[in-house]
């Protein structure tokens, strides 16, 4: 398939947090950029926009990003939303699903190809495992929405390789470069787009003693978890002062120049 107008909406997952590149907008690359680089090599007239902003919950994504995305008349839309809602102390999964269903219906009605994502399976994480039931319920809602509107689904939940935290950033919340590369491959495969992307080696983590692991976990809690909790308690978001990294359709260099 050939696409010429690719628009991505969502939160930090789609913005590319965890995959730093100082030479790019917002200092990030990410799986969506990697997908766009491949698609740019298949079309001589290709434009890519990325409206995703870190920290956004599902309803703000719909309210702030959907209309601008549709105004760009994309022939490919990717949408990842809901993870920041699931991580809150209270969440109404059915309410989220109703709002998302309406939004996806609007995307599909344009005739664009739409790609949705389930959330990852936190079963391998001691930190997120208590919320596994929420993730499973939300993911089933996403699959139902995709079935109803005929969209593609990248089933993150079933991608067991992501239980290797070498695919994740040091903050344990976002994908690292190897994780973003693997996700780009999954998106392209879901679209039946040929590509030459290859998996990147996950970050190696040395075996630690119990004492070393406790020290590392305490450092993580101080550096990453505590600021996240503080933002939640004060009603702030990591994306409060962040703008979309690619608000308009624009060319992007093909993957051959990046690898």
């Amino acid at each position: 398939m050939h696409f010429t107008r690719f628009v991505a909406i969502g939160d930090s997952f789609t913005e590319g947090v965890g995959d730093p590149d100082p030479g790019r907008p917002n200092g990030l690359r990410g799986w969506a950029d990697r997908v766009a680089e491949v698609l740019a090599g298949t079309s001589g007239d290709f434009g890519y926009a990325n409206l995703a902003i870190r920290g956004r919950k599902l309803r703000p994504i719909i309210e702030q990003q959907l209309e601008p995305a549709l105004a760009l008349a994309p022939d490919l839309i990717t949408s990842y939303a809901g993870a920041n809602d699931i991580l809150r102390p209270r969440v109404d999964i059915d309410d989220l699903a109703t709002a998302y269903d309406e939004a996806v219906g609007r995307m599909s009605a344009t005739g664009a190809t739409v790609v949705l994502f389930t959330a990852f399976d936190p079963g391998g994480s001691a930190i997120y495992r208590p919320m596994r039931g929420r993730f499973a319920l939300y993911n089933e809602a996403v699959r139902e929405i995709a079935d109803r509107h005929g969209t593609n689904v990248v089933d993150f939940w079933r991608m067991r390789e992501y239980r290797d935290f070498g695919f994740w950033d040091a903050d344990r919340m976002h994908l690292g470069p190897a994780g973003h590369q693997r996700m780009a491959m999954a998106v392209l495969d879901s679209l039946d787009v040929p590509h030459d992307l290859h998996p990147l080696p996950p970050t190696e983590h040395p075996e630690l003693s119990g004492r070393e692991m406790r020290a590392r976990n305490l450092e993580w809690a101080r550096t990453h978890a505590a600021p996240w909790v503080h933002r939640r308690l004060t009603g702030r978001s990591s994306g409060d002062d962040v703008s979309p990294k690619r608000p308009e359709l624009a060319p992007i260099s093909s993957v051959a120049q990046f690898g």
Side-chain angles (χ1 to χ4, degrees):
M1 300 181 68
H2 293 278
F3 300 99
T4 60
R5 303 172 71 85
F6 169 31
V7 178
I9 65 174
D11 55 25
S12 58
F13 174 82
T14 300
E15 188 188 351
V17 174
D19 189 14
D21 186 332
R24 294 176 184 246
N26 293 12
L28 301 170
R29 189 181 182 189
W31 66 262
D33 280 25
R34 294 167 186 265
V35 168
E37 291 156 15
V38 172
L39 297 179
T42 68
S43 173
D45 182 22
F46 178 78
Y48 161 54
N50 189 323
L51 309 182
I53 294 180
R54 67 197 73 175
R56 289 294 189 266
K57 294 193 289 185
L58 186 143
R59 286 188 178 278
I61 289 171
I62 294 171
E63 293 165 359
Q64 299 167 13
Q65 299 177 26
L66 181 59
E67 288 295 343
L70 298 182
L72 296 173
D75 54 18
L76 172 63
I77 308 173
T78 62
S79 175
Y80 181 93
N84 287 314
D85 299 81
I86 296 170
L87 293 173
R88 294 305 193 275
R90 293 183 178 86
V91 61
D92 186 333
I93 301 294
D94 293 331
D95 181 63
L96 287 183
T98 298
Y100 205 23
D101 180 64
E102 180 180 353
V104 174
R106 293 190 60 198
M107 296 180 215
S108 298
T110 67
T113 296
V114 179
V115 179
L116 306 181
F117 301 79
T118 60
F120 82 105
D121 180 358
S125 167
I127 299 167
Y128 302 114
R129 189 182 301 122
M131 291 179 282
R132 195 181 189 202
R134 286 185 179 187
F135 280 74
L137 287 171
Y138 179 72
N139 287 344
E140 188 57 26
V142 170
R143 296 185 190 105
E144 288 184 4
I145 292 168
D147 287 346
R148 186 174 300 116
H149 298 290
T151 75
N152 293 30
V153 177
V154 174
D155 206 337
F156 198 178
W157 175 272
R158 298 179 182 177
M159 298 170 72
R160 290 293 185 255
E161 58 268 43
Y162 282 100
R163 288 197 175 186
D164 179 347
F165 274 81
F167 284 100
W168 296 78
D169 185 55
D171 67 5
R172 307 182 188 179
M173 300 177 186
H174 301 100
L175 301 182
H180 279 283
Q181 177 84 344
R182 177 68 187 86
M183 191 58 62
M185 294 167 63
V187 172
L188 292 165
D189 290 343
S190 79
L191 296 169
D192 292 325
V193 172
H195 62 85
D196 293 326
L197 298 186
H198 300 286
L200 300 178
T203 302
E204 294 186 8
H205 294 284
E207 290 190 18
L208 301 175
S209 67
R211 181 177 180 180
E212 290 170 329
M213 181 59 73
R214 286 191 294 274
R216 176 168 291 189
N217 287 341
L218 285 172
E219 176 63 19
W220 171 81
R222 183 185 66 82
T223 305
H224 300 291
W228 186 88
V229 171
H230 185 260
R231 288 195 299 270
R232 302 288 81 73
L233 294 175
T234 56
R236 295 184 298 113
S237 166
S238 58
D240 284 346
D241 299 319
V242 177
S243 299
K245 67 184 211 177
R246 297 179 63 94
E248 302 292 340
L249 289 168
I252 189 169
S253 298
S254 68
V255 69
Q257 292 181 265
F258 293 97

